[in-house]
Amino acid sequence: MNNKRKNIKKSIAKSTLPYLLLLIIMLFVFYMVSVLNTDVTVFTYDEFMSKLNDNKISEMELVTHGSAYTYEVSGVLRKSKNGESFFVRLPYSENVIQKISDACEENDVKLTIDADPESSTWVLILVNVVPILLLGGFAFWLFSRQMSGASSSLDFGKSRAKLNDENNDVTFDSVAGLKEEKEEVKELIDFLKSPKKFQKMGARIPKGVLLVGPPGTGKTLLAKAIAGEAKVPFYFISGSDFVELFVGVGASRVRDMFKQAKRNAPCLIFIDEIDAVGRQRGTGLGGGHDEREQTLNQLLTEMDGFGANEGIIIIAATNRPDVLDPALLRPGRFDRQITVNLPDVKEREEILAVHAKNKFLSSGVTLNGLAHRTPGFSGADLENLLNEAALLAVRRNKDEITMSEIDEATDRVLMGPAKTSRKYSENDKKLVAYHEAGHAVVGLKLNGASDVQKVTIIPRGMAGGYNMMVPSEEKLCSTKTDLLEEITGLLGGRTAEEIEFGEITTGAHNDFEKATKIVRAMVCEYGMSDLGPLQFEQESGSVFLGRDYNKTQHFSNEVANEIDMEMRKIMNECHDHATKIIKDNRDLLKIIADALIEYETLTKEQIDYLVEHKHMPPEDENSSSYEEMSVSRLREIAKEKGIKNSSKLTKSEILKELEEINSK
């Protein structure tokens, strides 16, 4: 980093030097031109005295130069057209001064006499002392710069770990959920507080704890909470801070980090993203990496060389445990692995409660209901969800966050912002509406593995619309029936197109991709087919060759043909099931599709009302939520507010126009 800064400064200096020289030359030229353009006449002593006695001089200035024994006289001639000036050098004599003074008094000439500038003390200091000080200061600056460069090069191998020895206010109360994970690390806190209790029993505390889990589940926050609960110094560093260009620097930093930690024991060392330095040695298409491998070797040595009474515990976090070196995971180094999973519904509610403390939620928003609507969300996703909802509420000039903002924020997190500028033709809109209605009808008529939470035909991301299906209950394992119902639901959109229009479109591309992946996993990995409980495919151990680059296949060509036949059989059975459901519920399909064309988005409550009453619930005339209104009513409101061509705008376009008006 220091070398980069030096190179940047050198390049800046080189680029600005020509402009600086050009500026100096231009100033010099301007000065010379101004001097040359001045009409100055040089007189002799006799000519000067003659002009002075003839009253042809209006004013003049006399400067004494005692060291040169001369007078310098400059002035302006009287009644000159262009302000002609003159200059004369006179001998240093009292008689000369007297004659000039008498002549000036007689002819009323303004005379100014300046003392010898060379006799001024400040001028002497300026001329003689200041240049020496400038040269000395420049030499000192240059010398100190060289010394700082040398010291920075000596610190190149120092540890980059930062010590957080201040009061750490992050405790277990700040970490919502993770009940089992907290129990696992409580004994680490007890050891850091009172290690003698463990030593007396002959117990050895784990030297290293590896936190494993998907991104955003709170691994770093849990490590901070451990240090906050134990109230011990907390060193934190990223795995990428060890690896440098030069071989041996990372190993030096590891040694220095443990040296500093031993001085402050008991303490915690937290290494985030340890897979950056702890990858398996000698793997990958490009061979090994000397700097990273030496750094890893030094880390292994330092961890295995811990004494039982040193009181240093290493906590590391990663979401790629499969790429870590086996020597790093053996007992004596990272003795314990703690898996930080995605939160369940109860933990999601606790996480939402933490992030909702400083937000104003309307009475219609319940954290329990929101937790049930967000399966698969991590803690970071939930925080982002509430933040997006708060931003939308501010944008819409609301005093509190309603379910409308929650729904929109959920869609933004999952699918991205709505493509309101994308134009739908009437035919395309009808196709998308029946496609999404097909998903909804199949989802509603299945045995309840998933609940239809929301259906929309508003384009988001690469999708023209989507159907939000949420599991009725969270399960650790999926049954064969659950998977078959999921495949049937994915095929509902294409089936509705076939039945209603007698034509198929490209809209089911993503549905087929997901369905095919599930079917292949059922046949080749889960043993859920007539081929029996056999696993035909599995991921190989070459994790550095790319995903699915080297998938191991344990079957012959004949078995491959049978696999294809089984996949086709399962897919056809699910398609037939979806066809039967939609043909038996053509009326419901039409009702949902017409409602989607009119409202563009249907919530779970509206869908349930449609199923029961065969029509949409009556609109509340006093409702202020534009999102819940129909297109016809929105067009009336848009016309009242002066929006042009409101009769031709879609619901999304009207909402965008109204949002801009409200923001103004």
Side-chain angles (χ1 to χ4, degrees):
M1 182 62 73
N2 291 332
N3 292 333
K4 184 181 289 187
R5 290 177 180 174
K6 291 180 181 178
N7 293 333
I8 293 173
K9 290 181 179 179
K10 287 181 180 179
S11 62
I12 293 174
K14 289 181 180 179
S15 60
T16 55
L17 185 59
Y19 297 102
L20 183 61
L21 294 175
L22 180 61
L23 179 62
I24 295 173
I25 294 173
M26 290 176 64
L27 293 175
F28 178 74
V29 171
F30 289 152
Y31 173 75
M32 293 302 298
V33 170
S34 63
V35 171
L36 293 175
N37 289 337
T38 305
D39 191 4
V40 180
T41 304
V42 180
F43 289 153
T44 63
Y45 174 72
D46 294 335
E47 290 174 340
F48 166 70
M49 292 304 297
S50 175
K51 297 285 186 183
L52 183 61
N53 292 327
D54 294 342
N55 196 18
K56 293 184 178 181
I57 297 175
S58 61
E59 61 181 57
M60 63 182 182
E61 180 183 10
L62 188 146
V63 180
T64 61
H65 290 277
S67 59
Y69 299 100
T70 58
Y71 295 111
E72 291 182 356
V73 181
S74 60
V76 181
L77 296 177
R78 192 184 298 275
K79 296 180 180 180
S80 60
K81 295 181 180 180
N82 298 323
E84 296 178 359
S85 59
F86 67 90
F87 175 80
V88 62
R89 193 182 299 275
L90 305 177
Y92 189 81
S93 171
E94 292 292 337
N95 293 331
V96 173
I97 293 295
Q98 189 62 40
K99 288 180 180 181
I100 293 174
S101 299
D102 294 342
C104 289
E105 291 180 2
E106 183 179 349
N107 297 313
D108 193 19
V109 178
K110 183 180 179 181
L111 175 63
T112 302
I113 300 176
D114 292 336
D116 186 0
E118 296 180 0
S119 63
S120 174
T121 304
W122 291 107
V123 173
L124 289 174
I125 294 174
L126 183 66
V127 174
N128 298 315
V129 179
V130 171
I132 297 175
L133 293 177
L134 290 176
L135 289 174
F138 177 74
F140 177 76
W141 173 79
L142 189 62
F143 180 75
S144 62
R145 187 179 178 83
Q146 294 293 333
M147 291 300 295
S148 64
S151 62
S152 63
S153 64
L154 292 175
D155 292 340
F156 196 66
K158 296 294 183 180
S159 171
R160 299 294 177 88
K162 297 179 181 179
L163 174 62
N164 185 15
D165 55 356
E166 302 176 356
N167 293 329
N168 188 1
D169 55 353
V170 179
T171 61
F172 282 165
D173 295 333
S174 306
V175 184
L178 304 181
K179 182 178 179 181
E180 292 78 10
E181 290 80 356
K182 292 177 184 177
E183 292 294 333
E184 284 289 321
V185 298
K186 274 186 178 179
E187 61 186 26
L188 302 180
I189 300 171
D190 294 339
F191 173 77
L192 291 170
K193 288 182 176 179
S194 55
K196 293 183 179 179
K197 180 173 64 174
F198 291 85
Q199 296 163 8
K200 182 179 179 181
M201 189 61 63
R204 179 184 65 81
I205 204 68
K207 297 178 181 178
V209 177
L210 183 65
L211 302 178
V212 179
T217 50
K219 299 184 290 295
T220 303
L221 185 63
L222 181 61
K224 290 182 180 179
I226 295 172
E229 291 285 342
K231 299 187 183 303
V232 295
F234 179 61
Y235 288 91
F236 56 95
I237 189 172
S238 173
S240 60
D241 288 333
F242 291 111
V243 183
E244 287 286 352
L245 175 64
F246 305 104
V247 177
V249 174
S252 176
R253 290 179 179 176
V254 171
R255 287 192 295 269
D256 187 65
M257 180 182 69
F258 281 95
K259 182 178 179 181
Q260 294 180 24
K262 290 175 183 178
R263 295 173 184 170
N264 295 278
C267 67
L268 276 176
I269 298 177
F270 176 62
I271 306 176
D272 198 10
E273 304 296 343
I274 194 174
D275 52 277
V277 69
R279 287 174 173 259
Q280 296 180 21
R281 292 165 288 183
T283 55
L285 291 174
H289 188 294
D290 287 341
E291 163 62 2
R292 187 177 65 231
E293 290 183 5
Q294 286 198 20
T295 306
L296 175 59
N297 290 335
Q298 187 63 43
L299 181 62
L300 297 174
T301 303
E302 292 289 342
M303 291 187 68
D304 199 26
F306 277 175
N309 301 324
E310 290 187 2
I312 302 174
I313 297 177
I314 295 183
I315 299 177
T318 182
N319 49 34
R320 291 295 307 276
D322 54 325
V323 305
L324 296 180
D325 194 272
L328 195 63
L329 304 177
R330 75 161 176 81
R333 286 171 181 145
F334 282 107
D335 305 78
R336 182 177 299 177
Q337 290 190 31
I338 299 177
T339 302
V340 184
N341 288 316
L342 292 171
D344 58 19
V345 60
K346 184 178 179 181
E347 291 174 335
R348 289 197 299 273
E349 185 176 356
E350 295 176 0
I351 294 171
L352 288 168
V354 171
H355 295 302
K357 285 181 179 179
N358 60 342
K359 295 178 175 62
F360 298 96
L361 301 178
S362 70
S363 57
V365 179
T366 61
L367 298 181
N368 181 267
L370 187 55
H372 280 85
R373 291 165 57 94
T374 52
F377 276 50
S378 66
D381 292 332
L382 295 172
E383 190 275 334
N384 187 37
L385 171 65
L386 289 180
N387 184 63
E388 288 286 346
L391 293 175
L392 286 170
V394 173
R395 192 182 305 169
R396 295 173 178 175
N397 295 323
K398 292 186 177 181
D399 297 329
E400 57 185 9
I401 301 172
T402 65
M403 279 306 301
S404 175
E405 285 74 42
I406 295 292
D407 284 336
E408 177 66 19
T410 305
D411 295 341
R412 282 173 174 264
V413 173
L414 292 175
M415 305 291 293
K419 304 289 186 180
T420 55
S421 60
R422 185 182 298 177
K423 295 291 184 180
Y424 264 145
S425 66
E426 291 299 325
N427 186 45
D428 287 343
K429 190 172 185 179
K430 188 175 181 181
L431 277 170
V432 175
Y434 271 92
H435 180 100
E436 299 303 331
H439 286 302
V441 169
V442 175
L444 289 169
K445 296 302 177 180
L446 289 175
N447 293 329
S450 296
D451 295 332
V452 181
Q453 289 288 332
K454 184 177 183 179
V455 185
T456 179
I457 60 173
I458 298 175
R460 290 181 183 273
M462 299 299 294
Y466 77 96
N467 191 312
M468 182 186 293
M469 305 283 287
V470 177
S472 56
E473 60 179 3
E474 297 185 28
K475 302 177 181 179
L476 293 176
C477 299
S478 298
T479 64
K480 182 179 180 180
T481 302
D482 294 339
L483 296 177
L484 291 175
E485 288 189 353
E486 185 174 355
I487 297 168
T488 305
L490 290 170
L491 298 178
R494 166 60 69 85
T495 306
E497 294 175 10
E498 295 173 346
I499 295 175
E500 184 66 26
F501 302 102
E503 186 63 87
I504 57 177
T505 68
T506 59
H509 171 270
N510 187 250
D511 298 332
F512 291 156
E513 182 181 354
K514 294 179 180 178
T516 304
K517 188 175 182 180
I518 297 173
V519 172
R520 188 165 192 86
M522 290 176 63
V523 176
C524 298
E525 298 180 31
Y526 305 149
M528 294 180 178
S529 69
D530 293 339
L531 296 180
L534 296 174
Q535 188 177 56
F536 297 102
E537 291 180 349
Q538 63 181 15
E539 300 292 337
S540 67
S542 302
V543 295
F544 298 97
L545 297 179
R547 297 183 184 272
D548 299 329
Y549 181 82
N550 192 16
K551 180 175 285 189
T552 304
Q553 297 180 347
H554 302 289
F555 53 82
S556 62
N557 293 332
E558 289 78 8
V559 175
N561 183 46
E562 293 182 15
I563 291 174
D564 294 339
M565 293 176 63
E566 283 295 321
M567 291 178 59
R568 189 176 296 110
K569 176 183 175 183
I570 294 175
M571 194 73 78
N572 290 335
E573 289 176 353
C574 292
H575 181 262
D576 293 340
H577 191 192
T579 302
K580 183 178 185 305
I581 292 175
I582 291 180
K583 285 183 176 180
D584 293 342
N585 298 274
R586 288 286 296 274
D587 294 339
L588 181 59
L589 177 70
K590 186 178 186 307
I591 292 171
I592 295 178
D594 291 342
L596 282 173
I597 294 173
E598 178 67 16
Y599 288 82
E600 293 189 353
T601 299
L602 299 178
T603 62
K604 184 178 187 303
E605 293 75 15
Q606 292 173 328
I607 295 172
D608 293 340
Y609 193 93
L610 274 174
V611 173
E612 183 177 356
H613 299 89
K614 308 303 179 183
H615 62 82
M616 287 290 290
E619 294 186 12
D620 183 6
E621 295 295 332
N622 299 322
S623 175
S624 60
S625 177
Y626 294 140
E627 292 78 11
E628 298 176 359
M629 297 179 184
S630 63
V631 176
S632 57
R633 186 180 175 192
L634 280 175
R635 285 173 177 168
E636 294 176 0
I637 296 174
K639 186 177 180 180
E640 294 174 359
K641 293 185 177 291
I643 298 176
K644 297 180 180 180
N645 300 322
S646 58
S647 60
K648 298 181 180 179
L649 297 178
T650 63
K651 183 177 181 179
S652 302
E653 292 170 339
I654 297 174
L655 290 175
K656 186 177 181 181
E657 294 286 344
L658 292 174
E659 185 176 325
E660 292 179 356
I661 293 174
N662 292 335
S663 63
K664 294 177 181 179

